[in-house]
Amino acid sequence: MEHPVKECISMLGVSQVSFAVLHDLSFQRLKACLYGHTPAIPPRIVNALVQHGYDEQEAQKQYQQWRKWKAEQELLTVARKGGGEIMNRLPLDIVVTLMRREQVLNQYEIDQLAAFVYCTIEMPNIAA
């Protein structure tokens, strides 16, 4: 899965710093986008992509897909490293809130996750 901004920088054969300077971009904002910390490609950065032949909507769609893929890869990495310890420290509602905030899951996927958790976790008997 390719990050559209990284793809453009690579295609141009320039460094990230040079790309930022050439397009009068904040390097910090560019780095935030490259790490997936922005919910969408910021307007000035997407304008730079458009200047190099990218379609704005397609680039944004590709970025959203990349962010979701990246988050899934991070969760898989944690799980493969015995992430139960790490993941078990976070309450499920916090994990879901983070995933919703970062737009990793849409509402339907969150509802599916909640239904799965409800069906698989034994609820303790509460004596009246």
Side-chain angles (χ1 to χ4, degrees), residues 39-101:
I41 301 172
R44 294 184 70 185
I45 297 172
V46 83
N47 287 342
L49 295 181
V50 169
Q51 289 175 14
H52 294 288
Y54 284 76
D55 176 75
E56 181 176 349
Q57 285 78 26
E58 188 58 36
Q60 292 288 11
K61 180 181 173 186
Q62 185 178 349
Y63 179 72
Q64 293 302 319
Q65 291 170 341
W66 175 84
R67 284 184 83 223
K68 185 173 182 178
W69 172 83
K70 180 181 179 251
E72 289 168 350
Q73 295 307 305
E74 289 175 2
L75 289 174
L76 287 173
T77 299
V78 169
R80 286 184 187 129
K81 290 182 179 178
E85 295 173 23
I86 296 167
M87 297 302 276
N88 286 338
R89 287 187 230 155
L90 292 175
L92 182 60
D93 62 328
I94 291 175
V95 172
V96 171
T97 299
L98 290 171
M99 294 178 94
R100 181 182 292 128
R101 187 189 75 204

Side-chain angles (χ1 to χ4, degrees), residues 3 5 13 16-17 22 24-25 28 30-31 35 38 44 65 97 111 122 126:
H3 187 300
V5 181
Q16 294 171 358
V17 172
L22 290 169
D24 195 28
L25 303 170
Q28 289 78 13
L30 176 62
K31 288 301 278 186
Y35 283 118
T38 59
R44 294 184 70 185
Q65 291 170 341
T97 299
D111 293 343
E122 270 189 354
I126 300 175

